[in-house]
């Protein structure tokens, strides 16, 4: 089972940008689906974006389309989430997750992913 570690979170002003990284170890990410989820205080965890390593296809939640970009560096076993035009409602703990048997398309269910990172806090505030 792959181990995942997120980094790159922090405090940013509205309209600013952050890039989150998800580093994988213990297994390569080839043929995995890798997703980014977030959980704000008092809210359920929601899927933000997903990438399929098998073919590079990506998907986004409507709330982040046009602002967030997911990408991967297979050679370094890294997945990134570039977040632009950040809003206060993007404030949450962000998690990356992976599964070797999943092909993500459309709605992301956290129960479909078997490996999880510990999360990184993103706070958007002036």
């Amino acid at each position: 089972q792959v181990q995942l570690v997120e980094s790159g979170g922090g405090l940013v002003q509205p309209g600013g940008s952050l890039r989150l990284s998800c580093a994988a170890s213990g297994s390569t990410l080839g043929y995995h689906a890798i997703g980014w989820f977030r959980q704000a205080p008092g809210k359920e965890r929601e899927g933000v974006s997903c990438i399929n390593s098998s073919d590079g296809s990506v998907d986004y939640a409507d709330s982040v389309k046009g602002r967030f970009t997911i990408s991967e560096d297979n050679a370094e076993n890294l997945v990134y989430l570039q977040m632009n035009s950040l809003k206060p409602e993007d404030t949450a703990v962000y998690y990356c997750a992976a599964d070797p048997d999943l092909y993500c398309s459309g709605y992301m269910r956290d129960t479909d992913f078997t490996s999880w990172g510990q999360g990184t806090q993103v706070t958007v505030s002036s």
Side-chain angles (χ1 to χ4, degrees):
Q1 194 172 22
V2 65
Q3 290 80 50
L4 304 172
V5 178
E6 304 94 336
S7 60
L11 173 64
V12 63
Q13 292 186 342
S17 297
L18 281 175
R19 188 178 78 161
L20 305 183
S21 299
C22 175
S25 62
S27 178
T28 62
L29 291 176
Y31 302 102
H32 279 69
I34 303 98
W36 284 97
F37 289 79
R38 66 186 181 186
Q39 188 166 22
K43 294 188 177 181
E44 292 188 355
R45 188 158 53 186
E46 65 168 339
V48 174
S49 183
C50 191
I51 186 167
N52 294 299
S53 292
S54 57
D55 60 9
S57 59
V58 300
D59 207 358
Y60 299 95
D62 288 341
S63 58
V64 305
K65 278 181 182 176
R67 300 188 298 123
F68 290 11
T69 303
I70 191 170
S71 62
E72 62 180 344
D73 182 336
N74 287 329
E76 298 294 330
N77 240 17
L78 287 164
V79 174
Y80 301 104
L81 185 67
Q82 177 68 43
M83 306 186 296
N84 299 328
S85 302
L86 283 161
K87 305 174 182 180
E89 51 264 43
D90 294 318
T91 295
V93 177
Y94 283 71
Y95 301 88
C96 69
D99 190 274
D101 300 318
L102 180 66
Y103 187 88
C104 52
S105 178
Y107 180 73
M108 294 169 59
R109 291 187 307 183
D110 55 3
T111 53
D112 288 339
F113 291 80
T114 53
S115 297
W116 288 82
Q118 82 291 347
T120 186
Q121 176 71 47
V122 172
T123 303
V124 184
S125 175
S126 55

